[in-house]
Amino acid sequence: MLSLERRAPAFARAYSIALISLHADPATVVGSPQNGGVTIYVRELARALAQFGHRVDVFTRRTDPQAPASERRDGYTLHRIAAGPPAHLGNDEIAAHLDEALAALDEAFDRHAYDLISSHYWLSGTLGDALARRRGIAHVHTLHSHGTARKRRDAITLERIEIERKLLQTTPIVTLSPSHRELFARDYGLVPPRLAVVPAGVDLARFRPGDVAETRRALGVPERGRYVGYVGRLTREKGIDELISAFALLRANGTEAGLLVVGGAQRGSRVPELRALAARFGVAEHVHFLGAIPNARVADAFRAADVVAVPSHYEAFGLVALEARACGVPVVASDVGGLRDLVTPASGGARVAPGDLAGWARELGAALEPGELQRRRARVLHEGVGPYSWTSIASRIVAFGLHDVCAD
Ligand code: UDP
């Protein structure tokens, strides 16, 4: 279990905080392959910090020539800086434009004196490091994922790993789950000297239990029946292919259920391919592809499900599992990374090895048993998600970044 009982420290004064999130613009609609947890994390962190009265400036890369260079949102200011062409680029491609990004950030930092830099993902981590050194500003880096998790070891991945290794040694690091302590030792051969485990949060006002029938109606799926829910990007690493196979096995085992799949991309969607996979297994009519749903409304997708599956090959945290729990829905998840801390029998959950299709079919079937469904739901609600409020998380990050006070 994470030790989450620490109270939010009170702040001596309002600080000026620069959030650097070069690759993830917090204003983007989430659900496509490029936008996921980091986008939500940065958006919610900025909002929560602003609620404390801090001045919050978020810096991201300009991807759309029409988008405003600066805009006010939810109490913070979002700045879109030039770094490469104003078009969508893959994260690895952005690495070629870090010098330009640094020059733009330098100009912004000339105009305003910040107390703290909070950077997200290695691209922003290296920028934060450069600015912090040049200007003597405190810097805290959140590691949302790790270069070592990649199978391929191309030049950019090796560069990323080296930058992460440096950050781990020199910068206060926020990691999202306790399982990463071992990962740092194993993959990077070091114990970060300044490390705090601070989980991601969930918006408790939006993600809460609700009426199942009503949300199913709103989503246009049949009200009756039992459903497994999937919410996330439709990439292979998220395990959606295996989930469809396991779902077919679940039905072959005699469990009457449907599968709700939420997520998808505007370009290069994998939906046709996944639909074909479902058809090959003879379950196409039971798999409902609902497309990407904006984060503001995605709680409905969780509420419509009886059990949420998180079949990822790896998760540093596993935001979707937390969101499902906040909606009172039991989770079956892969036995990896941060999901080990979030999905436990005490919180109504079960974990299975990612590729164990028979295990997945068995666990989903067990979770969907009528009596078991009620028991697990009761456990989810009893365990609660109160400690994961964004205000508590935001305050811990700032306190750690400024004073290293909550290092575990
Ligand atoms: N999400 C969403 N709409 C969708 C699909 C996903 O709002 O159609 C959200 C989901 O609720 C979660 C985030 O996208 O907040 C995915 O975060 P996670 O950390 O699970 O995955 P990532 O994409 O960052 O690897």
Side-chain angles (χ1 to χ4, degrees), residues 271-282:
V271 169
E273 185 188 341
L274 294 170
R275 220 189 275 282
L277 183 67
R280 224 168 29 250
F281 289 125

Side-chain angles (χ1 to χ4, degrees), residues 191-212:
V191 177
R194 288 179 291 166
L195 178 81
V197 179
V198 185
V202 62
D203 182 344
L204 304 176
R206 280 194 290 121
F207 292 89
R208 53 191 161 81
D211 187 273
V212 176

